[in-house]
Amino acid sequence: MKFNDGYWLLREGVTARYAVEAFDVQTDATSVSVAALSRRLENRGSHLNTPTITVDLSSPALDVVTVRVSHMVQQTPPGVRFVRNGERPEVLVERGADEVTLRSGRVGASIATAGPWTLRFMGDDRELCTAAARSTGSMTVAGDGDYTMQRLTLPVGASVYGLGERFTALVKNGQVVESWNQDGGTASEQAYKAIPFFLTDAGFGVFVDSPGRVSFEVGSEVVSAVQFSVPGDSFEYHVIYGPGPREILEKYTALTGRPALPPQWSFGLWLSTSFTTEYDEQTVSHFVDGMADRDIPLSVFHFDCYW
């Protein structure tokens, strides 16, 4: 979903509450929680009648950082969510003079605790992506409701892949992607198997932990960033460090679960009829016999819906 009118302005009817500056910082051995004001901290009364955005950092697995962004913090967990596997790893929480950092294996996330809001992700001490001004917030769209959004920078030249079964270009840069399963055919932007996970060739992937509708702006609202948003007052996402695409994918599937190996016959050649063919038993038998006559192994014959 696009909230901006160009780069500087908001669209008509959109109210934004962005994290502007950290106000309260809480840490323990395994997590970080930062409450950010939606305006600059100028004096001790700046927090009065000022909406806040709470950002929590934790880690569900090695080389993965979980970020929870909330405008209204839920007291009970959501009833429907993705299942995550694995045990929580050992993490390191460090609190310095002007930032707080959580590290899990080779990945880390830092939040500026002084000055303008900055959420920064590092892999092997190399910066992966950041969320600075106007990048973390709660949005209200008149007549539609509230949304929580996050915008992460894309390095120059980085490409974005994934987001489930799509029929658009393989590289998602420049696309608007709605993660929502629909029976829209194979020639549109709709998809049968949408997955709110993307990976990049810049060392990181992102899994938005929401089974509902997730809207992605992949360099399509701000050309140098990936933006994702969900309806409601909070959401959670995971930044997964690779550094390569294969390692990112392996860590993502370890986190969310891997399917059982399909049966051997499913890996063979499939032959299908078509929606437009006028076929009968003789026609179908001719297809199958023709493959055998040509010594072409055939594992599956698929009868389409008009059979």
Side-chain angles (χ1 to χ4, degrees):
M1 170 176 284
K2 288 185 170 69
F3 301 105
N4 284 12
D5 177 9
Y7 183 72
W8 301 108
L9 304 177
L10 291 171
R11 292 193 170 195
E12 185 176 354
V14 174
T15 301
R17 294 169 290 271
Y18 294 120
V20 172
E21 188 171 350
F23 172 67
D24 182 67
V25 180
Q26 302 291 330
T27 63
D28 59 28
T30 61
S31 65
V32 173
S33 182
V34 178
L37 294 177
S38 55
R39 67 175 182 177
R40 288 185 58 193
L41 185 61
E42 297 175 342
N43 53 60
R44 64 181 185 177
S46 294
H47 65 285
L48 299 177
N49 299 316
T50 301
T52 58
I53 305 296
T54 301
V55 177
D56 299 312
L57 304 179
S58 59
S59 177
L62 202 64
D63 296 338
V64 180
V65 171
T66 296
V67 182
R68 182 169 185 84
V69 180
S70 307
H71 173 48
M72 300 290 186
V73 179
Q74 295 182 348
Q75 298 302 310
T76 57
V80 178
R81 63 184 303 167
F82 288 104
V83 176
R84 298 199 300 261
N85 299 311
E87 299 180 357
R88 292 189 179 274
E90 291 187 8
V91 301
L92 176 64
V93 176
E94 301 174 312
R95 186 164 179 177
D98 55 2
E99 71 176 5
V100 60
T101 301
L102 182 142
R103 300 182 188 274
S104 171
R106 299 161 63 190
V107 70
S110 295
I111 296 177
T113 56
W117 174 262
T118 305
L119 170 59
R120 185 167 55 97
F121 297 93
M122 301 83 64
D124 286 329
D125 295 321
R126 175 178 64 90
E127 186 170 294
L128 301 173
C129 58
T130 62
R134 300 190 300 156
S135 292
T136 305
S138 171
M139 320 295 282
T140 298
V141 180
D144 190 8
D146 295 327
Y147 291 83
T148 305
M149 63 82 71
Q150 181 70 81
R151 187 179 296 147
L152 300 176
T153 57
L154 270 179
V156 175
S159 296
V160 175
Y161 307 89
L163 297 172
E165 177 192 49
R166 317 300 311 183
F167 307 109
T168 55
L170 177 65
V171 177
K172 302 303 179 228
N173 297 53
Q175 296 185 32
V176 178
V177 178
E178 296 291 332
S179 187
W180 188 252
N181 295 342
Q182 293 178 283
D183 186 4
T186 59
S188 75
E189 80 284 357
Q190 296 180 9
Y192 293 100
K193 293 178 282 292
I195 299 174
F197 163 74
F198 67 84
L199 57 82
T200 73
D201 55 9
F204 70 96
V206 173
F207 170 50
V208 181
D209 196 351
S210 173
R213 185 184 295 273
V214 184
S215 180
F216 292 89
E217 298 289 341
V218 188
S220 47
E221 178 160 30
V222 175
V223 297
S224 58
V226 178
Q227 175 180 300
F228 39 95
S229 58
V230 300
D233 288 316
S234 66
F235 75 159
E236 194 170 271
Y237 67 91
H238 312 278
V239 176
I240 304 169
Y241 179 58
R246 177 172 180 169
E247 292 84 5
I248 296 169
L249 190 60
E250 286 178 346
K251 293 168 186 177
Y252 161 71
T253 58
L255 182 66
T256 59
R258 296 171 177 141
L261 186 69
Q264 186 175 357
W265 58 261
S266 67
F267 292 98
L269 180 64
W270 291 46
L271 182 64
S272 175
T273 57
S274 70
F275 288 104
T276 58
T277 301
E278 294 290 342
Y279 34 37
D280 51 23
E281 183 177 353
Q282 180 180 0
T283 303
V284 171
S285 297
H286 175 71
F287 291 157
V288 177
D289 293 340
M291 299 294 282
D293 292 342
R294 294 164 176 79
D295 293 325
I296 301 176
L298 181 63
S299 291
V300 177
F301 186 86
H302 178 237
F303 296 90
D304 279 314
C305 56
Y306 289 152
W307 169 256

